[in-house]
């Protein structure tokens, strides 16, 4: 895991974060008002975006990460995801600290990494600091 800033990222990394930031604007988050965006980079360069989709029945809410990841594998079943970027906006401002995926999303990431036998980099955006995990095992050690 490494900490860095947006300004120091490669073009590919900042481009993926930009896509996640843009996707957060279309989140449906009337209950938490926490607007999360995600962008998944596939091995062939395709970028799939998602955002959190909330529900009055809170247990039915789906995180931004899973919206994008599951769309990606549903539609590109033979193309490994190689990276995911996550950004969140609250009260009209992107968070200063990075937002990290919840446990359930980490489990989904672990399944995908194993399924395609390809590491998935996780880029977590914050205005002040970005965190980069090279591999989901850094976020979910000893995965089931
Ligand atoms: N959320 C995400 O979409 N991704 C995360 O990594 C953290 C949390 C969503 C779930 C819920 O809609 C809202 O943010 C508040 O938890």
């Amino acid at each position: 895991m490494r900490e860095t800033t947006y300004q120091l990222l490669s073009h590919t990394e900042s481009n993926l974060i930009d896509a996640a930031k843009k996707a957060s604007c279309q989140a449906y988050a009337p209950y938490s008002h926490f607007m999360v965006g995600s962008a998944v980079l596939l091995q062939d360069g395709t970028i799939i975006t998602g955002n959190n989709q909330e529900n009055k029945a809170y247990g039915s809410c789906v995180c931004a990460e899973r919206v994008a990841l599951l769309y990606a594998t549903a539609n590109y079943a033979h193309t490994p995801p190689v990276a995911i970027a996550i950004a969140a906006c609250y009260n009209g401002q992107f968070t200063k600290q990075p937002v990290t995926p919840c446990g359930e999303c980490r489990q989904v990431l672990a399944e995908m990494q194993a399924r395609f036998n390809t590491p998935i980099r996780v880029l977590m955006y914050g205005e002040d600091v970005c965190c980069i995990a090279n591999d989901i095992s850094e976020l979910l050690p000893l995965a089931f």
Side-chain angles (χ1 to χ4, degrees):
M1 190 99 65
R2 96 187 142 89
E3 284 191 359
T4 183
T5 59
Y6 177 83
Q7 291 72 22
L8 295 175
L9 295 175
S10 69
H11 177 70
T12 308
E13 291 170 330
S14 61
N15 193 42
L16 200 62
I17 284 176
D18 291 346
K21 288 172 80 171
K22 189 171 172 201
S24 73
C25 302
Q26 293 196 68
Y28 177 66
Y31 306 106
S32 71
H33 305 288
F34 196 60
M35 311 276 285
V36 187
S38 68
V40 174
L41 176 66
L42 304 184
Q43 202 169 53
D44 67 1
T46 304
I47 291 177
I48 307 289
T49 58
N51 37 50
N52 52 330
Q53 300 293 319
E54 296 190 345
N55 195 286
K56 194 177 283 181
Y58 293 171
S60 302
C61 296
V62 184
C63 294
E65 293 90 322
R66 269 174 292 141
V67 168
L69 286 164
L70 297 175
Y71 180 91
T73 52
N75 290 281
Y76 301 84
H78 303 291
T79 315
V82 294
I84 181 169
I86 305 148
C89 196
Y90 189 68
N91 279 339
Q93 282 203 316
F94 285 102
T95 59
K96 297 208 177 306
Q97 293 300 310
V99 170
T100 65
C102 77
E104 207 170 328
C105 290
R106 291 178 199 209
Q107 182 64 33
V108 169
L109 280 160
E111 181 79 19
M112 286 193 184
Q113 191 169 283
R115 170 178 170 178
F116 293 101
N117 195 24
T118 306
I120 302 176
R121 282 160 64 72
V122 185
L123 316 178
M124 295 157 274
Y125 175 79
E127 297 237 283
D128 289 351
V129 59
C130 294
C131 228
I132 301 189
N134 287 317
D135 184 88
I136 185 61
S137 68
E138 291 182 10
L139 294 175
L140 188 66
L142 300 174
F144 173 64

